[in-house]
Amino acid sequence: MNGFRSMGCHVLLPDGLPPDGVQALFEARDRRFSRFQESSELNRVNAHPCGLALVSEEFASMLSLALDAARATGGLVTPAVGGAVIAAGYDRDFRCLPLDGVAVEPARVPSCRSLTLRGAVLLRTEPLILDLNGVVKGQTVDDALKLLGHGWVSAGGDIATTVPLVVGLPGGDTITLERGGLATSSIATRAWRRGGVRQHHLIDPATGSPSSSQWSDVTVAAQSCYVADVAAKAALLLGPAGPSWLDRRRLAGRFVDHAGRVTVSERWLQAVPAQQAA
Amino acid sequence: MATPSRLQLARRRLQIARYSIGAATLTAFAAFGFAVRDAHPATHTSTSTATTDSSTSSDDPSTYFGGSASISPAPQTVAPQVQSSGS
């Protein structure tokens, strides 16, 4: 398979396409936005979590996308969860994370109202640790596809394509993604324990703790990978309200609960009728 | 023309330093003032980069999402080319 590893996942491209430009893009984004690279711009900005900071044009652009996502999801998918993710124990590269440790307390997720971005000037009026994980990977997949011009890009299952692509889904179903983006948000993998309590990376901003959603995996198809990823995260966090939330936004979504049962949104059912749970 | 004494030179340098510090402080204060003003909710417009919380827009389907991508059943004989396994 044609690809490489970046942002903690496998990035795949169609066979025969040179991955060099795409790989350079992913690595540059990872260097700027990683929580786990000490010299990243994100870590430099988070080193002083309150007050004024000057950020690069690319950082401002990505943060702006994250703020758009927060607005569009009513604050569910927010860049302000950095402190809560760390408080849950996710403080280093997942491969180096101890499987268990001392018990943790949830951290309050600040409102994005305490964050203002004007050009390259970022102001935080209360301590706010940023985590742009909610948008960086999806947007980078979209940008990589633009770089290729034609074909498809997949990063850890977040996909953008201009050609029909057969995609495997959690639980074993498959669909054809004709064009656009598809992303799955999951709390089934990338989990650990603190004080014996299961933790994962998807924080519910209302509680500051890892979400206790009934869904383990939510897959959404949208016009871009970035939007699909944002919608999948929001729909997972919304729990039972997730399918109707997607319906109101005319998005196709597929939900898998912790017992492996599948529920789909109306749009998904119209497009792929066989995949509604029995 | 008399050469300035060391004392006069020192006073001149001190004066320049005071002006510089004053100008820098004024600039920083003005920048901070504008930033704080922008941060205030009353100054937000629809294009503001500061976001709202869950009480204001969670049930307001917007054009942001732009509708679904086109999907269809996969041919049963074709193996998945990629897996969307979650992140």
Side-chain angles (χ1 to χ4, degrees):
Chain A
M1 191 64 93
N2 187 18
F4 54 91
R5 194 169 172 82
S6 183
M7 296 187 181
C9 63
H10 290 290
V11 181
L12 301 173
L13 314 173
D15 285 332
L17 283 179
D20 303 6
V22 170
Q23 186 166 1
L25 174 68
F26 268 86
E27 286 173 358
R29 292 273 169 87
D30 202 25
R31 276 196 301 275
R32 192 180 295 282
F33 297 108
S34 173
R35 293 198 296 123
F36 310 122
Q37 294 198 26
E38 205 175 326
S39 60
S40 72
E41 183 172 0
L42 181 72
N43 281 334
R44 179 179 65 76
V45 171
N46 281 339
H48 304 284
C50 193
L52 282 169
L54 280 178
V55 299
S56 68
E57 191 178 332
E58 189 174 40
F59 193 97
S61 171
M62 203 60 81
L63 178 55
S64 187
L65 284 178
L67 292 171
D68 287 345
R71 247 193 309 276
T73 60
L76 283 170
V77 181
T78 166
V81 290
V85 172
I86 294 168
Y90 196 2
D91 56 1
R92 66 199 75 179
D93 191 306
F94 187 74
R95 286 176 296 187
C96 307
L97 207 59
L99 289 178
D100 207 342
V102 294
V104 292
E105 290 292 323
R108 189 182 74 84
V109 177
S111 164
C112 285
R113 286 180 190 276
S114 55
L115 186 158
T116 302
L117 179 67
R118 284 288 181 274
V121 180
L122 168 65
L123 173 68
R124 284 164 291 178
T125 53
E126 67 172 306
L128 189 156
I129 295 177
L130 293 166
D131 183 349
L132 300 178
N133 180 52
V135 296
V136 169
K137 190 166 66 165
Q139 184 60 36
T140 304
V141 168
D142 290 329
D143 291 341
L145 183 61
K146 280 182 201 150
L147 205 61
L148 290 175
H150 182 73
W152 54 267
V153 178
S154 167
D158 288 359
I159 299 161
T161 183
T162 62
V163 296
L165 186 68
V166 177
V167 182
L169 302 169
D173 291 334
T174 56
I175 56 153
T176 301
L177 176 64
E178 303 291 343
R179 63 181 298 125
L182 186 98
T184 298
S185 189
S186 174
I187 55 177
T189 54
R190 214 168 275 239
W192 62 96
R193 288 181 182 279
R194 289 292 176 268
V197 178
R198 189 176 186 273
Q199 311 282 328
H200 58 79
H201 70 292
L202 203 58
I203 300 292
D204 182 346
T207 63
S209 295
S211 167
S212 54
S213 172
Q214 72 197 79
W215 312 117
S216 67
D217 302 271
V218 177
T219 303
V220 172
Q223 298 296 318
S224 69
C225 183
Y226 149 69
V227 167
D229 198 17
V230 168
K233 284 182 170 65
L236 192 148
L237 288 167
L238 281 165
S244 59
W245 188 86
L246 289 182
D247 285 334
R248 287 199 299 278
R249 285 151 186 82
R250 297 179 291 111
L251 291 170
R254 178 179 178 274
F255 298 73
V256 183
D257 70 13
H258 294 287
R261 289 179 296 245
V262 175
T263 300
V264 297
S265 72
E266 282 176 20
R267 286 264 163 178
W268 193 286
L269 185 60
Q270 288 164 8
V272 194
Q275 287 180 7
Q276 175 65 56
Chain B
M1 189 174 170
T3 309
S5 68
R6 288 176 59 195
L7 186 60
Q8 285 172 317
L9 287 171
R11 279 182 176 151
R12 200 171 296 164
R13 281 198 295 270
L14 182 64
Q15 201 170 24
I16 291 168
R18 279 179 177 158
Y19 279 134
S20 304
I21 291 168
T25 305
L26 196 63
T27 307
F29 182 75
F32 184 72
F34 280 120
V36 168
R37 179 182 173 280
D38 277 350
H40 194 279
T43 66
H44 291 170
T45 64
S46 59
T47 56
S48 168
T49 50
T51 189
T52 56
D53 62 22
S54 57
S55 63
T56 54
S57 63
S58 57
D59 285 325
D60 178 29
S62 64
T63 54
Y64 169 85
F65 291 99
S68 183
S70 175
I71 56 173
S72 59
Q76 289 191 340
T77 53
V78 178
Q81 293 164 274
V82 290
Q83 183 72 30
S84 187
S85 51
S87 56

